[in-house]
Amino acid sequence: MNVHIHAAPKLVGPAAAFVAAPKKLLIGGQWVPALSGKTTEVIDPSSARVVAHVAEADKADVDAAVKAARAAFEGPWSRMLPAERAKLMWKLADAIDAITDELATLNSLENGKPINDSRKGEVPFTAETFRYFAGWATKINGEQIPISAPGDWHCYTRREPVGVAAQIIPWNFPLSMLAWKIAPALAAGCTVVLKPAEQTPLGALRIGELFAEVGFPDGVVNVITGFGETAGAALSAHPDVDKIAFTGSTDVGKLIARAATGNLKKVSLELGGKSPTIVLPDADLDVAIAGAASAIFFNMGQCCTAGSRLFVHKKVYDRVVEGVAAGAAAMRIGAGLNPETEVGPLISREQFDKVTGFIEDGRRDGAEIVTGGESFGEDGFFVTPTVIAKTRPDMSVIREEIFGPVVCAIPFDTDDLDAIARDANDTAFGLAASLWTRDLGLAHKLAAKVKAGTIWINTHNFNDCALPFGGFKQSGWGRELGAQALDLYTQVKTVAIRLP
């Protein structure tokens, strides 16, 4: 059964000093309070205690931040050479590396994720994302186009920055999502107004300090903290924002898309998922069992790509489900800052209630809770890793994104790839999927049939800065990371010259 390990160590050092200091908005290179004077609480989900207060931005603060971003875009940033932008981004990445422990501590404090995941995974990936896109800053170019019209012509295209980019990021990967948004925008020559999730503002504010320290001009990156219903809505509808980028739920993404129609700003959305993990009968079961468990329990299941639907061939179903359940039951649950923790808390009371509500819905509808399905501990928002069996396609645990450590195991008994893909595709989402098999020919064929933006073979939740990431169907619009991310922040201008 799950082990509840000791509570987190006391917060000390630079992270403690940062948490204790006043938290203001970064607008035009200055740290300023919200014009209303309002603040909001930051909760440690491991203890449910308030650990900090940050400024709560509203429409007037958004206006000021957009104005600052516009001034920087029309001013110093547009005059800066691509190589100079690249150097600043490299300096920022080095500055992030230099305070890895501090950023990891802030990340696990406000998000609850295991400190080792922050220290060894998210913070280094954040720095690496800035380095990757720094390399692209000098490589954004148009092309000369031969045409067939009569006469002498010289025709070419230019790829130019969109302008002011508003970016709204989620709480599940606060630092890496910051980099996924800001880095390609800066490489393209855009300026940014960033709104971190209200639950996880601390890491974004700390990185905001680094932009000034390494020499970015004032107003190139602005950070406003606050709520989606106010600051986020104001950004989405703002008439002087040229581009809105959002990662979060599909429902909120639809609201943002509607708000953006006022000035038809460019929109990119990375939204929800209900990703299938498909274990074929010839799979290496030791690898598949560990992979299926990691697919759903990594980051407490709070991943848009979480492998929440586990399809397993009947020949190996019992062994796979027993293995995943045994692994789930053995995971160490505890505070994010405890280095022994494998599973931290959910982000908030709201998320805790949502996840436990889905589990109760499954019970009521007749599903079997193989393991887990309970709250855990006296403090914080902990839910035990949960495996559910005996589900039906119409159950809410199958249809809806739970966003917690809950996986539904579903047997299948066919070798027909079209039938397997049909069940995997029976969802409104299409963000990711993983296939587990020793037959790579079979893997390629099934990968072509599954409707998702990313297909992993014998792995799950693998990312690299060079790999484009995004969804099919209601999982979003556009691709982040890779060269394709630059399309989100540039626009093409055609120049046609009649030669004398």
Side-chain angles (χ1 to χ4, degrees):
M1 60 184 297
N2 294 113
V3 177
H4 193 187
I5 61 177
H6 296 298
K10 183 180 179 181
L11 198 64
V12 297
F18 179 80
V19 169
K23 305 293 180 298
K24 299 180 180 180
L25 310 173
L26 177 59
I27 298 177
Q30 304 297 314
W31 291 98
V32 297
L35 290 171
S36 67
K38 292 189 293 186
T39 63
T40 187
E41 297 174 340
V42 180
I43 306 292
D44 170 11
S46 296
S47 66
R49 297 187 181 95
V50 177
V51 294
H53 292 81
V54 299
E56 183 183 328
D58 211 329
K59 185 178 184 300
D61 306 292
V62 168
D63 287 340
V66 172
K67 183 177 180 181
R70 177 62 62 190
F73 178 72
E74 302 291 350
W77 198 236
S78 65
R79 296 192 293 269
M80 187 172 286
L81 297 175
E84 293 174 334
R85 294 202 307 271
K87 289 176 183 177
L88 283 176
M89 294 173 70
W90 269 92
K91 288 176 68 176
L92 179 71
D94 290 344
I96 290 170
D97 280 341
I99 60 168
T100 291
D101 283 345
E102 180 184 351
L103 285 172
T105 299
L106 294 174
N107 199 42
S108 291
L109 172 68
E110 63 181 347
N111 170 275
K113 70 178 59 189
I115 184 66
N116 290 325
D117 290 347
S118 291
R119 185 179 291 124
K120 299 176 182 179
E122 186 163 0
V123 176
F125 192 36
T126 299
E128 187 58 29
T129 302
F130 279 103
R131 290 194 181 95
Y132 173 82
F133 282 106
W136 274 110
T138 56
K139 300 170 185 67
I140 300 173
N141 51 262
E143 58 182 352
Q144 187 269 331
I145 303 174
I147 63 170
S148 300
D152 293 322
W153 298 88
H154 174 52
C155 299
Y156 62 94
T157 59
R158 293 168 49 91
R159 290 184 69 187
E160 299 181 353
V162 169
V164 174
Q167 302 177 326
I168 302 173
I169 60 174
W171 44 258
N172 58 339
F173 294 95
L175 302 181
S176 56
M177 291 296 99
L178 174 151
W180 285 30
K181 293 288 189 292
I182 295 180
L186 296 182
C190 295
T191 55
V192 169
V193 179
L194 178 81
K195 195 201 85 66
E198 55 264 30
Q199 299 90 343
T200 53
L202 299 180
L205 292 172
R206 183 66 183 95
I207 291 180
E209 293 181 343
L210 299 182
F211 280 99
E213 292 175 14
V214 303
F216 278 84
D218 293 348
V220 170
V221 175
N222 306 271
V223 181
I224 57 168
T225 52
F227 292 93
E229 298 86 347
T230 51
L235 272 174
S236 302
H238 201 287
D240 202 30
V241 167
D242 302 300
K243 154 78 184 179
I244 183 82
F246 171 75
T247 295
S249 74
T250 296
D251 287 344
V252 175
K254 291 176 180 179
L255 293 175
I256 286 172
R258 285 194 286 269
T261 60
N263 67 339
L264 291 180
K265 57 176 63 67
K266 290 170 69 80
V267 178
S268 58
L269 304 168
E270 196 269 280
L271 306 175
K274 194 70 177 176
S275 299
T277 300
I278 304 171
V279 181
L280 299 174
D282 71 320
D284 182 327
L285 294 188
D286 290 337
V287 173
I289 288 168
S294 175
I296 184 61
F297 301 133
F298 170 63
N299 208 50
M300 296 70 73
Q302 297 175 136
C303 300
C304 49
T305 56
S308 55
R309 293 181 298 144
L310 175 58
F311 294 92
V312 188
H313 197 282
K314 282 189 174 180
K315 291 180 180 178
V316 295
Y317 177 84
D318 288 344
R319 180 178 168 188
V320 170
V321 173
E322 289 170 5
V324 173
M331 299 183 82
R332 297 190 300 272
I333 301 176
L337 289 175
N338 192 308
E340 296 181 32
T341 291
E342 294 176 306
V343 177
L346 299 178
I347 186 66
S348 65
R349 171 63 63 182
E350 178 185 10
Q351 190 67 15
F352 173 89
D353 291 342
K354 176 185 174 184
V355 171
T356 54
F358 273 116
I359 295 171
E360 290 309 309
D361 287 347
R363 278 197 181 100
R364 186 184 61 250
D365 293 341
E368 174 191 354
I369 309 301
V370 179
T371 190
E374 301 172 342
S375 60
F376 198 87
E378 298 178 0
D379 302 314
F381 312 123
F382 295 93
V383 173
T384 53
T386 302
V387 178
I388 298 179
K390 297 182 179 177
T391 59
R392 300 187 309 274
D394 62 331
M395 289 182 176
S396 62
V397 291
I398 293 292
R399 306 305 306 172
E400 299 185 46
E401 184 178 34
I402 298 174
F403 224 64
V406 181
V407 62
C408 294
I410 307 162
F412 65 91
D413 60 1
T414 181
D415 296 321
D416 182 346
L417 297 186
D418 288 327
I420 295 170
R422 185 167 56 249
D423 288 344
N425 294 334
D426 185 18
T427 172
F429 303 107
L431 191 57
S434 63
L435 317 176
W436 302 81
T437 176
R438 288 185 171 96
D439 186 336
L440 289 184
L442 197 66
H444 283 302
K445 292 176 182 178
L446 186 53
K449 297 175 183 295
V450 175
K451 296 177 181 178
T454 295
I455 309 293
W456 292 297
I457 311 296
N458 297 327
T459 189
H460 199 105
N461 282 329
F462 172 74
N463 272 319
D464 187 271
C465 296
L467 294 176
F469 181 84
F472 287 16
K473 300 190 282 186
Q474 293 190 41
S475 286
W477 298 339
R479 293 296 180 268
E480 297 186 302
L481 299 182
Q484 288 80 357
L486 299 168
D487 294 337
L488 306 180
Y489 297 99
T490 57
Q491 50 196 350
V492 175
K493 177 183 289 182
T494 298
V495 180
I497 305 172
R498 181 188 293 275
L499 299 177

